Amino acid sequence: MVSSYQQGGRAASYRDEESEPLRNAPYAPVEFRENSNSGGSWKKWGLGAAAVALLGYAAFQHSNSNIPTAENVDLLGMKHHDSKHHGSKHGKKHVMTKAEMNAQLFDESRRYILHDYDSRSPVSNFLPGVAGVFGKPVWSFYVNRGQGIASFGLTSKDYPLLEFNSANKAYQQTPYVGFRTFLQGSRGGHHKKEDGSSFLFEPFSPANAKIAGLDDASEDDKPTRTMYVGTNEMEIVEQDDVHGVETSVTYFVLPEENFASLVRKTTFTNTGDDDLTLSALDGLAKLEPTGGKLQWGLHNIGRTLEGWMGVYHADDTLTLPFYRMSTEPSDTASVKIEKAGHYCIAFVEGKSSALLPIVYDTEKVFGFSTTLQEPNGLAASSIEDIVKNPQYGDAKTSSAFAALQKVKLAPGESITVTSFYGEADDIKKLPKIAKKISKSGYSEDRLDRARELMNELTSSVETHTANHLFNGAIKQQYLDNSLRGGMPVILGDMDEKSRSSNADEDPRLKVYHVFSRIHGDLERDYNDFNIDPTYFSQGPGNYRDVAQNRRNDVVFSPRIGSFVVKQFLSFIQADGYEPLTVEAVAYLIPDPNQAARVAGQIGKTKKDSDIIIAIVGGGIFRPGQLLTLFEQLEVKLTVSSQIALDNIMAISEETPMALYGSGYWADHWEYYLDLIEAYTSIYPDGEENLMYDTELPYFFSTATVKPRSEKYVLDYTFDGKSKHILQLDATIFDKDKVKEQDAFRNQTTGLIANDANWQRTGKGGKGRAFKSPAISKLFLLGVIKYATRDAYGMGVEYEGGRPGWNDAMNGLAGMVGSGMPETFELSELLKYVLSVVTKFQRPLVIPAELGEMVDTINEALDELLSSGYEDAEELSSDVPDELFKYWDIVAAARETYRNNVNFYFSGKTTTISAEDAIEMLTNWYDQVQLGVGRATKIGSKGIDDDGTSGVPPSYFSYNITKWVKNGNKNDKGLPLANPLAMSVGVFPLFLEGPTRYMKLIKDDEDKMEGMYNKVLNSGLRDDQLKMYFLSADLTGQSYDMGRMMAFAAGWLENQSIWMHMSYKYYLQLLRGKLYDKFYTEMKGGGMLPFMDPDVYGRSLMECSSFIASSAFSDPSVVGRGFLARLSGSTAEFLSIWKLMFMGPNPYIVNDDGDVEMQLIPALPIWLFEDLEAGAEGTRDDEGNLIVSFKIFASIMVTYHNTLGTDLYDVAPKRYVVNMEDGSTVDVEGSSIPTETAVQIRKLLGVESIDVYY
């Protein structure tokens, strides 16, 4: 299981109370939903005083959305018959008070509750798409409309079972094209129709949804609907007292199977007081077939596509339908016959293994009601008649309804229909799948396993404080962080030596990230997510996302060593940029003899061994692909799949994989120091080896950054009255580089070898991949970014065509813009390289071409300094001639360097002594600080902002005031020009500026507090929400700056609350030791889980990308979260958690050069006990308050607060390290000595640690 990978091969024995049901605890609710003999009534919740105080502020939102309703719908049997509740034990159901609803944030299984979910403001969410490392996942999205699931499928939105739609359309269409249920029933004592049924109705129909804000007696007879949001499941429940039926539906992704399925469990309970005879259709109104990539076609030529569609059958019953196209739809000479298909297999839980017939002919259910609102076909017939009569599935989109026929339920009795929806690569596999899934208890076992799987995956951050909401939020943030960045597992564990080593120490160990994906969903419809339906499933991710979300991997999994740092530093290109997309690491076995040896050991027969040799010798591979091929080729193994995989990985070499996208983002490099800081906080003794003795290649991208002479374009201004210079098409897809990569194309397979992705020392595939030590690559990066500062020496130019972190400033590159966030990060980068060179006093070995550029930069700086230039007290917007000349020379040196290394390095190197490196790095650092000072003087300008706030600006634009045409034109025929003079333009404030700037002053508490107060009193503060705007008021700004101006104020990036940047800001407060300020912001509602759920509108466990701020025009939307979960906020939250519980440097190097461990947390007393909120703390045997957490995803650490105060920067007095063999190591003092510290880091035999303060 994955947890064993994370915990170094041993399972943690500490009981995780946070993963257990909320029973018999002071904060636990009484089980609130009655069992099957409840008679339709609802119990009130019983909450302890602690929970009432903790959660009492919460209120659930009821928007004023206009949900269509029907007072009298004869078709669906919803005439209320003078408000008599036929078949119900109670004439009047209990209506929960607002206070009762307020208390119900979570149920006993810790699932978030949305009462009357379909009458609330719309929200979208998703199941994690995690089936375990030995499972094949399905992606699925749901909304709080209809029966929830809005879309699901395999791999990507191109391969749906239920068509993918953007959120706005999903909210509208899900109740009709998604899952539906139609019930025909009769009761004893009722007037019977001749056909034997007394009612037909649809649970969860939008026609019967409650209307938010309507206080009317007619609302009392409408069903009560509730949604339960779990980490790996979603359930909806409808309590219908009119018909005396409770309907519940639970969805989950099938875990740990060799086929992928979405599982749906629908339970019908007779809550009436007499017998109920029931028939039901339960399933999908529309199920798409297989047929290649369908998303574009479904949206654009949907009717034409139906000509390929058909429903086939695995036997002569209706129980195993197979939905596929005859061929993949195309109009080419190459025709691909479609063999795979989608299936729906259903059965009654707990009964015989007999399968239910599937109704697939949509017209039999809906007749000619093409809106699918009403089941006209069923109304004119019966379920039994539909099943008996012919159905047709050709040339149309079909349905998939399980047909339950005339079952009798006594009062309180239930029946469950379980359905599996998935894909099989051959129709012949359906009977085998059906036999397995229909076994008694199988689906319930798989649901339990799906829940256990999430507990295992999130146990890495198990935390126990007095605030249980906080404890739960940590787990959710860890899960969502892992879904975006991936979760590292260790492969290649072969013996005791490997199990006691990290990936740096034992080359057999390989680090592989599972479960990752680009954060595409119903709201982020612009991103094309990909979740491979394979074992060890993963998908590609955006560079900046993955770099940030893997920041703390080494903190949770120390056995990965420096893997993440080396992976990302390898992606640094010769030009100082990085690719757009990070893909999973690939593997190659370089030694065929080793491959033959391992194949002989794990293959059962010679034939099996030969197949294994052919697979692993055929090129690069990934774990999931490998095991899938083993299955498809029916390879028999002598060992388990896990052991076989470990044997193969132990002899493999790994290679990072990435892809160029479009343009170069200016911020991708800014996350390297975070990765290095995380690594050195665990392995400070590994820094020198990582920096100097680890050689890394340079990624070779198929793009080229143009020189200024080819991208400074002369064009008319928007009013056509004058001309100006724009920076356009700054980066091109370079066809010559594509030809360079073609030299690595395999003439047999047509595939390009991975070697083409690394810059070499010779043309046409000749020469070796050029490598440099990690510190040299960081130095190269520092040189190029230093040489890319703008003409005023302030911001780093967006000369690659893309902006930095705030990519909604997309127009800034065209405005010859620059960013101070990049300058602040450059300051930190130069300082770090300087500190490493100073500490280790070793020379830098760099490419010779870079050495020439460095010489030119230093000469230009000497000339600038000798000119006598000094900044005036008041800086003009016009760039001084001396600074412009310096900028021009340095920029030209940068362009010359890039031209020299555009295709390959010469292979020659230049050595810079430590002394010389220190001198030049110091000079550059000083120049950067001068630029920071200039930026503060020039400042910002906006509504109520005269530039004197003292808050650092974020962005500048440059107007080229003088130019000369250079005689060339761009692809559109516009003239190109060379600049002769410039003036700087300013913008309003953005939160990114002070957030990044705080890194420069984090060790100066006075400056930190001063900056905090300036931001608090600036236009960046949203006083209503007590949060921080991403930007100040942008009214009056030019639309040229980018799409920020296209959005309404308060929405998306325009003056909204962007949670990721807000969390970055809060993290800096904690790093700067502004503890009281940080916790005031946290508990004041700036961070989850301390927001008002009535306002936030979704689970307090889940981050959103942005919150509509008070600047938004509609007050009912203000404070609501949008674009849920897979946000960079989770990376910041985990960094905050680390600082709170472990401190900045859990491992240090003492004066003797030996590594030691020390835990210096930053915990407020209210996390130990908060009596004002009713949260009583936990105490040890001596009566000291305690909190506990898991370190390294494995070892439980308990803090004993003998002081009874905040633990801010308090060093421990004593440690007790408890070993697995029952022995203990007692340590007096603030740090754990080397031997035990290393043993803890290696996860060798340590059970738990008690720390006393």
Side-chain angles (χ1 to χ4, degrees):
M1 62 183 179
V2 174
S3 58
S4 68
Y5 296 133
Q6 294 174 299
Q7 297 166 3
R10 68 176 180 86
S13 60
Y14 192 95
R15 182 170 60 91
D16 183 4
E17 295 173 356
E18 294 300 321
S19 68
E20 296 180 356
L22 289 169
R23 297 175 184 268
N24 304 321
Y27 57 90
V30 173
E31 187 173 343
F32 68 90
R33 213 179 81 215
E34 297 201 33
N35 58 24
S36 58
N37 59 3
S38 65
S41 67
W42 291 77
K43 287 184 179 179
K44 296 181 180 179
W45 275 51
L47 280 171
V52 173
L54 177 63
L55 308 180
Y57 73 92
F60 282 85
Q61 181 174 16
H62 292 271
S63 69
N64 294 319
S65 56
N66 296 316
I67 307 295
T69 186
E71 289 291 333
N72 299 290
V73 185
D74 291 332
L75 173 64
L76 299 181
M78 282 301 294
K79 276 196 172 181
H80 296 295
H81 307 290
D82 298 324
S83 297
K84 292 179 181 178
H85 292 234
H86 292 278
S88 177
K89 286 184 177 181
H90 304 277
K92 191 74 172 178
K93 63 184 174 183
H94 170 68
V95 178
M96 291 194 301
T97 66
K98 186 72 172 178
E100 289 174 324
M101 294 180 69
N102 285 350
Q104 297 184 49
L105 284 176
F106 299 90
D107 74 351
E108 63 171 12
S109 298
R110 300 177 184 274
R111 300 180 303 177
Y112 188 73
I113 306 172
L114 287 86
H115 295 282
D116 295 329
Y117 68 86
D118 55 348
S119 65
R120 297 160 56 93
S121 57
V123 293
S124 67
N125 209 326
F126 56 88
L127 296 176
V130 172
V133 291
F134 285 104
K136 298 182 178 181
V138 169
W139 55 263
S140 55
F141 300 104
Y142 61 89
V143 297
N144 60 333
R145 294 293 182 267
Q147 295 197 32
I149 297 294
S151 179
F152 69 100
L154 279 76
T155 307
S156 71
K157 64 179 72 171
D158 284 324
Y159 301 94
L161 277 80
L162 176 58
E163 182 181 355
F164 179 92
N165 282 295
S166 299
N168 58 328
K169 294 181 179 179
Y171 298 142
Q172 299 169 355
Q173 298 179 17
T174 298
Y176 305 109
V177 303
F179 284 100
R180 309 280 291 276
T181 305
F182 301 103
L183 299 181
Q184 286 180 326
S186 61
R187 287 188 177 278
H190 277 199
H191 172 71
K192 304 278 185 75
K193 294 182 181 179
E194 290 183 0
D195 63 6
S197 68
S198 60
F199 59 76
L200 164 63
F201 78 99
E202 179 184 4
F204 308 105
S205 168
N208 305 317
K210 291 184 177 180
I211 301 175
L214 180 61
D215 186 13
D216 187 270
S218 64
E219 291 293 290
D220 293 342
D221 286 338
K222 290 184 177 180
T224 298
R225 294 171 182 167
T226 311
M227 177 178 283
Y228 302 91
V229 178
T231 54
N232 204 19
E233 66 183 287
M234 185 271 286
E235 182 184 8
I236 53 173
V237 178
E238 176 181 286
Q239 183 95 17
D240 186 338
D241 288 343
V242 170
H243 298 97
V245 177
E246 178 185 279
T247 306
S248 70
V249 181
T250 299
Y251 302 97
F252 65 97
V253 172
L254 180 66
E256 298 175 342
E257 277 293 358
N258 61 358
F259 55 93
S261 284
L262 177 71
V263 186
R264 169 183 167 93
K265 296 173 68 68
T266 306
T267 300
F268 305 109
T269 303
N270 180 5
T271 59
D273 53 9
D274 55 0
D275 290 346
L276 171 65
T277 301
L278 195 67
S279 296
L281 289 181
D282 183 72
L284 270 178
K286 292 179 66 176
L287 175 60
E288 304 299 342
T290 58
K293 293 185 175 182
L294 295 184
Q295 181 68 7
W296 179 90
L298 291 174
H299 280 258
N300 294 280
I301 56 170
R303 180 58 185 136
T304 301
L305 279 187
E306 288 186 321
W308 278 267
M309 296 181 183
V311 179
Y312 304 83
H313 299 274
D315 58 21
D316 56 2
T317 71
L318 296 174
T319 61
L320 296 175
F322 203 55
Y323 301 75
R324 66 172 175 83
M325 292 183 170
S326 54
T327 67
E328 289 192 4
S330 65
D331 189 24
T332 65
S334 176
V335 177
K336 182 178 180 181
I337 297 174
E338 185 60 66
K339 290 187 177 181
H342 293 151
Y343 60 78
C344 169
I345 304 173
F347 51 90
V348 174
E349 198 70 52
K351 303 292 183 181
S352 67
S353 59
L355 304 180
L356 294 175
I358 304 299
V359 174
Y360 56 87
D361 189 335
T362 306
E363 289 184 4
K364 302 300 181 184
V365 181
F366 296 100
F368 297 117
S369 175
T370 54
T371 63
L372 305 186
Q373 288 186 351
E374 300 173 343
N376 289 344
L378 179 58
S381 182
S382 69
I383 293 172
E384 291 72 25
D385 288 340
I386 290 175
V387 172
K388 285 189 293 186
N389 289 311
Q391 299 183 56
Y392 306 98
D394 290 333
K396 59 183 176 183
T397 305
S398 296
S399 300
F401 288 102
L404 181 69
Q405 303 176 68
K406 290 190 176 179
V407 296
K408 189 173 182 178
L409 299 178
E413 191 176 0
S414 299
I415 189 169
T416 297
V417 175
T418 299
S419 307
F420 285 70
Y421 296 83
E423 179 180 312
D425 55 20
D426 193 292
I427 194 171
K428 296 177 182 178
K429 293 187 176 181
L430 291 196
K432 184 178 180 181
I433 293 174
K435 182 178 180 180
K436 184 168 193 175
I437 65 178
S438 61
K439 287 182 179 178
S440 179
Y442 174 84
S443 66
E444 201 60 39
D445 174 76
R446 291 296 84 195
L447 175 56
D448 289 342
R449 180 59 190 140
R451 291 165 174 164
E452 291 171 0
L453 183 61
M454 285 301 106
N455 288 333
E456 289 173 5
L457 296 182
T458 59
S459 67
S460 299
V461 288
E462 181 182 339
T463 304
H464 303 275
T465 72
N467 191 302
H468 299 282
L469 276 178
F470 178 78
N471 302 342
I474 293 167
K475 285 191 166 187
Q476 185 69 54
Q477 300 308 303
Y478 180 79
L479 172 63
D480 289 347
N481 186 80
S482 299
L483 294 182
R484 196 166 89 145
M487 185 174 289
V489 298
I490 294 286
L491 300 172
D493 255 338
M494 299 294 298
D495 47 38
E496 287 304 315
K497 178 185 176 183
S498 66
R499 283 186 280 274
S500 63
S501 304
N502 65 37
D504 294 329
E505 296 165 337
D506 191 334
R508 294 176 297 173
L509 297 178
K510 305 298 186 299
V511 180
Y512 191 74
H513 283 79
V514 294
F515 310 144
S516 60
R517 79 286 307 266
I518 288 176
H519 57 313
D521 51 54
L522 302 182
E523 292 186 87
R524 300 181 184 93
D525 44 15
Y526 49 84
N527 269 340
D528 292 326
F529 61 89
N530 186 291
I531 304 173
D532 285 345
T534 63
Y535 301 137
F536 291 85
S537 174
Q538 51 71 45
N542 287 332
Y543 195 91
R544 71 155 65 98
D545 301 343
V546 179
Q548 291 177 95
N549 288 88
R550 291 185 184 175
R551 177 191 308 161
N552 290 298
D553 280 2
V554 69
V555 175
F556 301 113
S557 303
R559 291 190 68 207
I560 73 171
S562 61
F563 171 82
V564 176
V565 178
K566 292 187 291 188
Q567 178 188 23
F568 280 93
L569 293 189
S570 294
F571 290 135
I572 298 174
Q573 299 171 179
D575 60 7
Y577 284 108
E578 296 86 4
L580 173 64
T581 302
V582 177
E583 297 197 328
V585 172
Y587 301 91
L588 180 73
I589 298 179
D591 186 346
N593 294 324
Q594 288 279 58
R597 177 184 63 80
V598 169
Q601 292 174 346
I602 66 176
K604 195 165 188 178
T605 67
K606 185 178 184 304
K607 178 183 176 183
D608 295 318
S609 297
D610 289 343
I611 295 174
I612 294 171
I613 292 172
I615 291 173
V616 300
I620 60 173
F621 57 84
R622 295 189 175 106
Q625 296 169 333
L626 202 66
L627 297 176
T628 298
L629 284 172
F630 285 0
E631 277 189 353
Q632 291 174 345
L633 298 175
E634 299 180 348
V635 175
K636 294 180 176 60
L637 301 171
T638 59
V639 293
S640 68
S641 295
Q642 178 65 68
I643 294 175
L645 189 60
D646 283 333
N647 274 271
I648 292 171
M649 288 298 163
I651 61 171
S652 301
E653 290 183 355
E654 59 195 11
T655 178
M657 300 287 286
L659 291 172
Y660 166 74
S662 56
Y664 285 126
W665 270 260
D667 68 314
H668 283 181
W669 60 276
E670 296 172 12
Y671 312 110
Y672 299 149
L673 288 187
D674 289 335
L675 299 176
I676 294 169
E677 179 183 280
Y679 170 75
T680 55
S681 75
I682 307 299
Y683 289 101
D685 48 332
E687 184 177 31
E688 181 176 8
N689 179 269
L690 172 63
M691 288 293 112
Y692 284 96
D693 303 322
T694 302
E695 292 208 328
L696 302 170
Y698 292 78
F699 191 76
F700 183 75
S701 177
T702 52
T704 296
V705 180
K706 293 179 179 177
R708 293 165 297 163
S709 61
E710 296 178 18
K711 61 187 176 185
Y712 281 9
V713 180
L714 183 60
D715 197 3
Y716 283 98
T717 56
F718 75 96
D719 57 9
K721 295 181 179 179
S722 60
K723 291 185 176 183
H724 64 165
I725 299 292
L726 297 175
Q727 181 178 242
L728 301 177
D729 302 318
T731 302
I732 60 167
F733 184 73
D734 197 325
K735 294 180 180 179
D736 290 331
K737 286 187 173 181
V738 174
K739 292 179 181 177
E740 189 73 20
Q741 288 193 331
D742 276 340
F744 295 89
R745 188 179 299 279
N746 186 300
Q747 299 304 310
T748 302
T749 65
L751 300 176
I752 294 179
N754 184 58
D755 287 346
N757 292 325
W758 306 106
Q759 187 140 340
R760 310 185 78 79
T761 58
K763 188 175 182 180
K766 299 177 181 179
R768 58 185 173 83
F770 186 79
K771 295 183 179 181
S772 295
I775 190 64
S776 299
K777 293 201 75 175
L778 291 175
F779 179 79
L780 175 145
L781 195 62
V783 171
I784 293 177
K785 300 309 174 184
Y786 174 79
T788 312
R789 292 180 306 141
D790 61 32
Y792 235 131
M794 299 185 298
V796 174
E797 293 180 314
Y798 296 138
E799 49 102 34
R802 298 287 188 177
W805 176 90
N806 187 357
D807 50 21
M809 293 289 286
N810 53 291
L812 195 52
M815 301 172 76
V816 197
S818 64
M820 288 306 297
E822 286 67 39
T823 296
F824 300 140
E825 296 292 347
L826 171 61
S827 175
E828 291 298 284
L829 175 61
L830 293 176
K831 186 166 69 172
Y832 176 73
V833 175
L834 178 59
S835 72
V836 170
V837 176
T838 302
K839 184 189 303 183
F840 299 113
Q841 289 294 312
R842 292 175 62 174
L844 297 174
V845 180
I846 62 174
E849 296 89 341
L850 182 67
E852 295 174 2
M853 177 182 170
V854 167
D855 289 341
T856 303
I857 290 172
N858 288 332
E859 290 169 3
L861 180 57
D862 289 341
E863 184 177 344
L864 174 63
L865 296 176
S866 63
S867 71
Y869 171 79
E870 291 184 0
D871 287 335
E873 187 66 28
E874 295 291 332
L875 294 179
S876 168
S877 62
D878 293 324
V879 177
D881 291 341
E882 296 90 342
L883 293 182
F884 180 86
K885 180 181 179 182
Y886 173 76
W887 168 81
D888 194 31
I889 294 172
V890 170
R894 181 185 74 235
E895 291 165 353
T896 299
Y897 161 76
R898 284 181 175 159
N899 183 66
N900 291 338
V901 298
N902 196 32
F903 294 101
Y904 38 83
F905 289 105
S906 67
K908 299 177 181 179
T909 59
T910 296
T911 299
I912 302 176
S913 69
E915 182 181 1
D916 289 344
I918 290 170
E919 180 182 1
M920 64 180 69
L921 285 164
T922 301
N923 291 337
W924 299 344
Y925 179 83
D926 291 343
Q927 288 298 307
V928 169
Q929 305 317 306
L930 287 174
V932 170
R934 290 184 196 126
T936 303
K937 284 186 177 180
I938 289 178
S940 57
K941 188 174 183 180
I943 303 299
D944 298 324
D945 177 13
D946 61 1
T948 61
S949 67
V951 177
S954 293
Y955 310 114
F956 298 108
S957 64
Y958 279 86
N959 181 29
I960 297 176
T961 54
K962 294 181 182 179
W963 64 82
V964 58
K965 294 181 182 180
N966 60 31
N968 297 317
K969 294 183 178 181
N970 71 355
D971 292 341
K972 297 180 180 178
L974 295 173
L976 298 167
N978 296 335
L980 299 176
M982 289 174 150
S983 65
V984 65
V986 296
F987 294 92
L989 290 173
F990 290 77
L991 186 59
E992 187 179 8
T995 297
R996 306 269 191 187
Y997 174 73
M998 281 182 168
K999 291 187 175 184
L1000 278 61
I1001 60 171
K1002 67 178 185 296
D1003 296 326
D1004 189 323
E1005 189 172 342
D1006 290 338
K1007 287 184 178 180
M1008 282 291 298
E1009 187 160 357
M1011 183 53 59
Y1012 170 80
N1013 289 325
K1014 289 175 182 177
V1015 174
L1016 185 68
N1017 295 307
S1018 74
L1020 292 173
R1021 179 68 171 182
D1022 188 329
D1023 291 322
Q1024 178 179 331
L1025 294 180
K1026 292 182 171 51
M1027 300 178 184
Y1028 293 90
F1029 297 119
L1030 178 62
S1031 70
D1033 191 337
L1034 298 182
T1035 300
Q1037 297 300 305
S1038 169
Y1039 279 85
D1040 288 344
M1041 68 195 296
R1043 64 178 182 269
M1044 288 196 73
M1045 287 301 296
F1047 304 136
W1051 189 257
L1052 287 170
E1053 287 96 337
N1054 186 348
Q1055 206 184 350
S1056 72
I1057 310 299
W1058 205 266
M1059 290 186 71
H1060 187 185
M1061 188 51 65
S1062 292
Y1063 276 35
K1064 280 182 178 292
Y1065 179 70
Y1066 300 138
L1067 173 60
Q1068 291 310 127
L1069 299 183
L1070 194 56
R1071 282 175 169 166
K1073 300 185 178 182
L1074 299 185
Y1075 300 122
D1076 290 334
K1077 301 283 192 299
F1078 168 78
Y1079 285 114
T1080 296
E1081 295 285 356
M1082 174 187 272
K1083 288 195 75 176
M1087 292 180 65
L1088 293 171
F1090 301 100
M1091 296 180 187
D1092 186 339
D1094 183 45
V1095 178
Y1096 189 53
R1098 61 183 311 114
S1099 172
L1100 295 179
M1101 303 293 104
E1102 300 170 353
C1103 280
S1104 299
S1105 277
F1106 80 94
I1107 294 172
S1109 73
S1110 63
F1112 194 67
S1113 57
D1114 184 350
S1116 70
V1117 177
V1118 171
R1120 196 188 304 169
F1122 297 90
L1123 282 66
R1125 296 182 58 180
L1126 300 190
S1127 158
S1129 333
T1130 61
E1132 314 308 330
F1133 193 98
L1134 293 180
S1135 290
I1136 288 169
W1137 179 87
K1138 177 199 170 190
L1139 288 177
M1140 289 174 63
F1141 287 87
M1142 299 169 64
N1145 297 298
Y1147 280 80
I1148 58 172
V1149 174
N1150 62 26
D1151 293 339
D1152 296 325
D1154 297 322
V1155 68
E1156 295 182 346
M1157 184 181 186
Q1158 63 173 11
L1159 297 171
I1160 302 181
L1163 294 172
I1165 188 62
W1166 57 263
L1167 281 178
F1168 288 86
E1169 183 170 69
D1170 193 353
L1171 295 179
E1172 290 184 5
E1176 186 176 347
T1178 303
R1179 295 179 181 270
D1180 61 19
D1181 293 340
E1182 284 73 41
N1184 301 310
L1185 288 167
I1186 61 172
V1187 299
S1188 58
F1189 69 100
K1190 195 178 284 185
I1191 194 171
F1192 301 152
S1194 179
I1195 301 169
M1196 188 58 63
V1197 176
T1198 300
Y1199 288 155
H1200 301 256
N1201 190 347
T1202 66
L1203 301 174
T1205 62
D1206 298 326
L1207 293 185
Y1208 295 160
D1209 266 347
V1210 178
K1213 297 184 297 185
R1214 176 179 170 231
Y1215 297 85
V1216 178
V1217 182
N1218 306 294
M1219 312 304 290
E1220 289 179 341
D1221 62 6
S1223 63
T1224 61
V1225 177
D1226 290 332
V1227 177
E1228 296 293 335
S1230 62
S1231 61
I1232 298 174
T1234 304
E1235 182 179 354
T1236 305
V1238 171
Q1239 196 171 359
I1240 293 170
R1241 191 169 66 183
K1242 286 181 174 289
L1243 309 176
L1244 293 178
V1246 181
E1247 178 70 32
S1248 62
I1249 305 172
D1250 289 278
V1251 190
Y1252 295 85
Y1253 295 89

